[in-house]
Amino acid sequence: MGHSAGAPLLDTAALDVSRLMTQKHARLYDRAFGDNPICWRKVSAVEHLHNKVKSVLLVCSTQREDSCEQANYFVNKALKLGAKAQQLRIDLAHSKINTTVGDNNLYTNQIEDFIRTLDPYFNAYLQPHAR
């Protein structure tokens, strides 16, 4: 019984690795992705989009220009292909996006609301919002 109805992606700037690697970028990406453009395309999530892709919520930090730019590009391409995707822009640093998900905050509630739209199965595992 698999429930692969969709996924939230937390603040990644590496959805289109080819685009990332041909622009000014942090050195850590060179270590992660190397220098082969064929490999860049293979590991780029945006290259694997098609109309059967499950719903995706792309969380991006408004404090990181590259993250929201990549998320926006991904969402627009997904929608053009007929896939479901949406962007959630959060005014938190990258580290805070990763460390505060699950805390009792608006950001976590927004992710849980997205998860609720995927499948009623998940409601049993999510707490009601504190009001």
Side-chain angles (χ1 to χ4, degrees):
M1 173 162 94
H3 292 276
S4 60
L9 303 179
L10 301 184
D11 199 39
T12 178
L15 296 164
D16 183 347
V17 176
S18 299
R19 190 168 172 210
L20 171 73
M21 297 302 287
T22 56
Q23 297 175 348
K24 186 178 176 190
H25 58 271
R27 276 192 17 220
L28 73 97
Y29 294 121
D30 292 323
R31 292 191 302 271
F33 301 118
D35 59 5
N36 185 334
I38 294 169
C39 290
W40 298 343
R41 285 201 13 240
K42 286 182 180 178
V43 299
S44 293
V46 75
E47 296 292 335
H48 299 282
L49 276 171
H50 52 79
N51 65 352
K52 302 249 187 311
V53 166
K54 303 295 185 183
S55 188
V56 180
L57 174 68
L58 293 114
V59 176
C60 71
S61 167
T62 57
Q63 297 176 19
R64 296 178 63 214
E65 187 175 318
D66 53 345
S67 174
C68 285
E69 180 183 311
Q70 290 246 347
N72 190 55
Y73 179 75
F74 185 96
V75 167
N76 287 333
K77 183 172 180 181
L79 295 176
K80 285 179 187 163
L81 292 170
K84 291 182 181 175
Q86 59 189 20
Q87 185 181 51
L88 176 59
R89 298 167 66 89
I90 301 292
D91 185 19
L92 290 173
H94 177 72
S95 61
K96 288 289 185 193
I97 282 178
N98 290 316
T99 59
T100 63
V101 66
D103 291 353
N104 185 12
N105 57 35
L106 176 62
Y107 161 53
T108 296
N109 290 346
Q110 290 170 307
I111 290 178
E112 288 180 351
D113 286 344
F114 165 75
I115 292 169
R116 282 182 176 88
T117 69
L118 301 177
D119 190 320
Y121 169 86
F122 297 115
N123 285 326
Y125 299 94
L126 299 172
Q127 296 294 317
H129 293 321
R131 300 282 179 213

